[in-house]
Amino acid sequence: MPPARSVRPVLPVVPVLWLLLCLLLTGCGGPAAPRDTGEQDVRRAVAAWSRVPPQRLADIPLEDWSYEVGSVRRDGARATVRAELRYRLAGYDSSPGGSARELTLAEADGQWRVTADRPAPGTLPQLWDQGPVTVVEGAHSLVLGGEGQPPATLSGIAAEADRAVPAVSAAWPKPWAGRVVVLVPGSLERMAELLGRPAADYRGMGAVTTGQVGAGPAPADRVVVNPEAYPQLTERGRGVILTHEATHVATRAATTATTPLWLSEGFADWAAYRGGDSTPAQAAPALARAVRRGELPAGLPANEAFAFGGDPEALARAYEGAWLACRLIARTWGDAGLVRLYEAAGRDPLPVALGQALGTDVPTLTRAWQESLRADLG
């Protein structure tokens, strides 16, 4: 037997040449070409600048503050950076939130420095983009006031929010943060800027709540107070408004696109009026006028009835009808029945949720609601 010898595989010539070509060029699985030194310097400058929040925000309990650079565009000694700002409000946000930002940098003496930080085009501003922020912290609330808001006004809102939170927990006996963040912009126009809608849409509204529906991890909602309409409310009215909005914060994880707006808005009003002495006719004047005219609603309010910018009287009837529907459910099936329905309606369509939670259907509930409107408002 001939002596053993190693056998070296012979590679075809074309694949070998292709492999060499791939090693010389970018792509083909090879390492990407390094960024130019100037871009790396810009990125390092942003990283160093953004390690801690600006000193002017020192009173806001910020944590996990960071800027994640997405793109860098250089033009000589100037650079424009797109980045994602991430931060949490300590004790309030369950996960980081933030917004897209556009930074401007300038180079001098071989050093890059950030000279401007603003919302990226098409992105909503943060409250501090509008000017100095005043911070008031309550037992269950954090109130951030925009430029020109007096500390006394913010303290009053914090006190009202502190009263609202326990009322919400009593109505919604499910786990939630038990704390609310309230933003008070400097003007109605500033409020509209924060929310990205025309100021006219919010005229006359005491407050609104922002946030993402669904059970996924998301930052805490923000209750945004209308600085023009809120002060004109009675003490009772201010309490109703903040309890309503805080209810949206509490129920957010159980609210999905499947939840009918009449149920989410009606539940929030039910929580706000719960335990009070307001009669249906007092708390639902617009709907009472319609019922007395013989204009009984044909069905529970549709989602479209809650749209901004429409007929204010029709919008009021939708909210009032939603509240009275939830009031009826709580009186018929108990508070626990209303909570069961809310949870079920976030998982399944309303007909299925009604059957599972209350053992009834939409036509039966609608007829009972219409009868209660005649009795309470006629």
Side-chain angles (χ1 to χ4, degrees):
M1 178 181 292
R5 57 192 177 94
S6 62
V7 177
R8 181 176 300 169
V10 178
L11 296 177
V13 174
V14 172
V16 170
L17 293 176
W18 177 248
L19 177 61
L20 291 174
L21 185 62
C22 283
L23 292 176
L24 292 174
L25 301 176
T26 59
C28 299
R35 299 187 180 98
D36 66 81
T37 304
E39 179 178 330
Q40 291 177 340
D41 290 342
V42 169
R43 289 174 176 269
R44 280 194 291 267
V46 172
W49 168 83
S50 64
R51 286 195 182 101
V52 295
Q55 182 59 37
R56 62 190 177 86
L57 306 182
D59 292 338
I60 304 175
L62 295 166
E63 62 182 12
D64 297 339
W65 179 273
S66 66
Y67 280 70
E68 181 180 343
V69 175
S71 65
V72 176
R73 187 176 70 252
R74 291 181 57 212
D75 183 11
R78 292 178 58 82
T80 302
V81 170
R82 289 292 183 91
E84 186 72 18
L85 166 64
R86 293 292 181 186
Y87 70 90
R88 293 197 310 148
L89 294 178
Y92 293 88
D93 293 348
S94 58
S95 61
S99 62
R101 310 291 293 184
E102 184 176 83
L103 310 179
T104 301
L105 291 87
E107 183 185 23
D109 300 326
Q111 298 292 321
W112 286 97
R113 293 178 176 83
V114 176
T115 58
D117 172 18
R118 54 185 153 317
T123 301
L124 300 179
Q126 301 288 318
L127 182 65
W128 53 78
D129 290 322
Q130 299 178 337
V133 175
T134 302
V135 181
V136 173
E137 190 160 10
H140 308 293
S141 61
L142 178 69
V143 180
L144 306 180
E147 188 171 16
Q149 287 296 341
T153 298
L154 304 179
S155 295
I157 293 174
E160 197 62 69
D162 285 346
R163 288 189 287 270
V165 167
V168 171
S169 295
W172 180 254
K174 300 293 178 179
W176 73 290
R179 314 187 87 185
V180 293
V181 178
V182 183
L183 308 183
V184 189
S187 67
L188 174 61
E189 289 69 27
R190 292 298 201 180
M191 176 187 183
E193 288 176 8
L194 291 178
L195 299 171
R197 296 181 64 93
D201 286 355
Y202 302 106
R203 200 174 303 280
M205 300 183 68
V208 298
T209 301
T210 66
Q212 299 174 347
V213 299
D221 295 352
R222 308 294 190 241
V223 177
V224 185
V225 166
N226 182 339
E228 292 186 6
Y230 183 84
Q232 299 178 24
L233 298 171
T234 64
E235 181 178 355
R236 174 62 175 153
R238 292 193 292 269
V240 166
I241 286 292
L242 284 184
T243 305
H244 176 107
E245 302 304 336
T247 302
H248 284 314
V249 176
T251 59
R252 185 66 71 195
T255 308
T256 70
T258 305
T259 309
L261 283 179
W262 73 258
L263 182 55
S264 61
E265 295 298 342
F267 187 93
D269 266 351
W270 173 77
Y273 286 114
R274 185 172 175 268
D277 55 4
S278 297
T279 66
Q282 290 171 335
L287 188 55
R289 288 191 291 271
V291 171
R292 289 167 190 158
R293 292 194 302 266
E295 300 172 4
L296 191 70
L300 293 163
N303 285 356
E304 296 76 21
F306 297 91
F308 287 0
D311 177 13
E313 188 80 1
L315 182 63
R317 291 196 299 269
Y319 273 91
E320 293 166 1
W323 166 57
L324 289 172
C326 289
R327 179 176 179 268
L328 169 68
I329 293 168
R331 293 174 66 185
T332 306
W333 287 275
D335 295 359
L338 178 57
V339 172
R340 282 199 311 273
L341 174 61
Y342 199 104
E343 292 185 299
R347 298 187 301 264
D348 297 297
L350 182 63
V352 176
L354 281 170
Q356 291 176 343
L358 306 181
T360 190
D361 54 32
V362 175
T364 301
L365 175 62
T366 302
R367 286 193 298 271
W369 173 65
Q370 291 170 326
E371 291 170 5
S372 72
L373 295 183
R374 290 193 189 94
D376 292 333
L377 304 179

